[in-house]
Amino acid sequence: MKELFANLPDEQAPPPPPGYLDTVLTVARRSARRRRAVGVAAWTAVLLAVIAVAVPLVRPPSQPAAPSTRATLPSRFAGYSVLTADASRSPAGRAIALYGYGNGELFNMHQPLVAGADGNTYRRIAAMQDRELPAALLSPDGTRVLFGDDRAAVTDLQLLDLTNGRQRPVPVGQAVGVRLLAWSPDGRYVAYSAAPVPGNTDNIGNFVDYEVARTGTLRILDLTTGNSTPVPAATPAWKAAFAPDSHRLAVQVGRQLHLLDVSGASSGVVDLPADRQLVGNVGWSLDGAAFATMPLPVDGQASGSTGHDTYLTERQTLTFVPVPGVGGPVTPSFDAVQLLGWSAPEQVLVLDADAVGHLTIALVDLRDGSRRVLSRFDTGSSCEFGTQSCQVFDLQLATGLLPGVTARDAGWAHRGPWPVWFMVTVGVPIAGVTVLMWWLIRRRSRRLPTGTSPTGN
């Protein structure tokens, strides 16, 4: 090393060009400011990405919408979205509607959804998806959903509270297949049909619903006590509807309606026309004077396929049968896709469809047949990743909220916190790309700008 330094030339370095020091300081200050700005921008982007990932995953204490004095329907139901939160994890309060939504043309993408009665909220019933979309009932006050399983015998039903997200089992005794029929207007009783079914039905679609409709015995469940009362005379129980007083019900057995009280005692039988069946759950009129009926299935038998998971597209004729001993004018028949409930003794809500299949919920005045559209369904091509139109099935309204129901401006759909899978698969990569860009920008900004060497080269 001594020799190396000894052999160094004694010549002094050439003097820097005029103004070099000022130029270097100016460039250095500019580079430092640029690095600080890039750093602040990059860290801001990282912070925003972290917030985008973290905030939707944080579930604040549940604060469902406070019920107003009168429930409302959205003027338009929102389209399909895989980002709809689970009702049990993010409850949104009472619902005005429970329905299935989606398509299965290319991919089996269906959702059981509840739409809010007091705001433009939508929630997915994940527990029903886990059970392959079984038939379900929405309580008359819109606060609970009851469902079983269409692919296996069960020892209990599941009751989900939409106001707090809690789910609890409702025992039904030994393992049986269950078909839910009707919920009483006061919310206390549920009529269902039960029968033994084979143990392995996982690959036979809605086999339980199909089989129990043909062989099931009526049971009346008291949700207050948890007791179920079997009614062997009502076998097979096909359809049922409670009277407005909640203490009587009509159950279809073959071509007849058996009139019972909640203890199972019979008060008479009503013969139905040969080609008609009772409208399930909402078939007893609000004034107690008539039964609503719809056409029998194409096989002409009140048995077999129940159609609970069939897309709602075809209009049919609804007719009315007088209740013995009540009297009153005969209600005229009319066409609709489905009867949804009664808002007054002379007014009903129906699902209707136009010539191209667009679905609406309309208020029908039974006195003159006039209709007023309250709500529409978005059936555009937003299902199956935007490749298919959306279809509606298993639509129910909260029957106890229908008197005086009106439409509200739909506005923005509030679907709750984004699902974890979405945040992991989308949010984390976005944060990673942001960090990488910040690192590359910082690395480049540290290079000495050209034109600042002491020799001026």
Side-chain angles (χ1 to χ4, degrees), residues 49-343:
V50 170
I51 291 174
V53 172
V55 169
L57 300 179
V58 177
R59 182 159 61 101
S62 298
Q63 294 181 342
S68 59
T69 56
R70 180 175 295 180
T72 54
L73 277 163
S75 59
R76 179 178 291 275
F77 282 79
Y80 186 96
S81 174
V82 296
L83 302 183
T84 307
D86 178 12
S88 62
R89 293 180 56 85
S90 179
R94 65 180 185 172
I96 190 64
L98 167 68
Y99 60 103
Y101 199 51
N103 205 321
E105 188 73 21
L106 299 175
F107 312 97
N108 188 12
M109 298 180 66
H110 297 94
Q111 292 180 331
L113 299 170
V114 285
D118 303 293
N120 201 40
T121 58
Y122 295 84
R123 293 295 185 270
R124 176 175 52 91
I125 311 295
M128 289 178 61
Q129 284 184 291
D130 295 341
R131 294 193 173 199
E132 301 293 336
L133 306 178
L137 288 177
L138 177 65
S139 67
D141 63 359
T143 62
R144 294 172 291 174
V145 174
L146 184 69
F147 57 93
D149 194 324
D150 289 342
R151 284 168 168 74
V154 296
T155 58
D156 55 58
L157 303 172
Q158 297 296 314
L159 186 65
L160 173 64
D161 192 321
L162 298 176
T163 64
N164 56 31
R166 298 191 185 100
Q167 183 176 317
R168 68 177 178 89
V170 179
V172 296
Q174 65 180 22
V176 289
V178 170
R179 180 171 188 243
L180 297 172
L181 301 178
W183 204 319
S184 67
D186 63 3
R188 177 172 178 174
Y189 301 101
V190 171
Y192 68 96
S193 187
V197 295
N200 184 11
T201 60
D202 290 341
N203 299 318
I204 319 180
N206 60 336
F207 174 82
V208 169
D209 191 62
Y210 176 93
E211 189 66 22
V212 174
R214 298 172 53 185
T215 63
T217 297
L218 176 70
R219 296 186 186 182
I220 301 174
L221 170 65
D222 187 335
L223 290 172
T224 302
T225 64
N227 296 327
S228 288
T229 302
V231 186
T235 303
W238 167 247
K239 293 286 185 72
F242 278 90
D245 61 13
S246 297
H247 296 292
R248 297 172 296 152
L249 71 160
V251 182
Q252 182 167 354
V253 179
R255 303 295 177 83
Q256 294 181 322
L257 292 182
H258 290 232
L259 307 184
L260 311 168
D261 64 24
V262 292
S263 67
S266 176
S267 59
V269 173
V270 177
D271 291 322
L272 290 177
D275 60 345
R276 311 300 294 178
Q277 62 176 323
L278 180 69
V279 174
N281 195 29
V282 298
W284 203 321
S285 67
L286 195 60
D287 59 3
F291 299 118
T293 71
M294 57 190 289
L296 278 173
V298 292
D299 60 7
Q301 300 294 323
S303 61
S305 177
T306 63
H308 89 82
D309 55 0
T310 302
Y311 295 152
L312 298 171
T313 57
E314 300 296 328
R315 302 183 86 208
Q316 56 191 341
T317 301
L318 300 172
T319 61
F320 298 85
V321 175
V323 175
V326 178
V330 176
T331 304
S333 61
F334 61 90
D335 290 346
V337 175
Q338 182 181 344
L339 177 64
L340 298 174
W342 303 73
S343 63

Side-chain angles (χ1 to χ4, degrees), residues 429-441:
I430 290 176
V433 171
T434 303
V435 172
L436 178 61
M437 293 179 61
W438 166 70
W439 178 78
L440 292 174
I441 293 173

Side-chain angles (χ1 to χ4, degrees), residues 70-72 342-344 347 349 363 372 374 400-407:
R70 180 175 295 180
T72 54
W342 303 73
S343 63
Q347 290 182 328
L349 275 85
L363 184 67
R372 179 164 56 92
L374 298 180
L401 304 181
L402 298 185
V405 68
T406 58

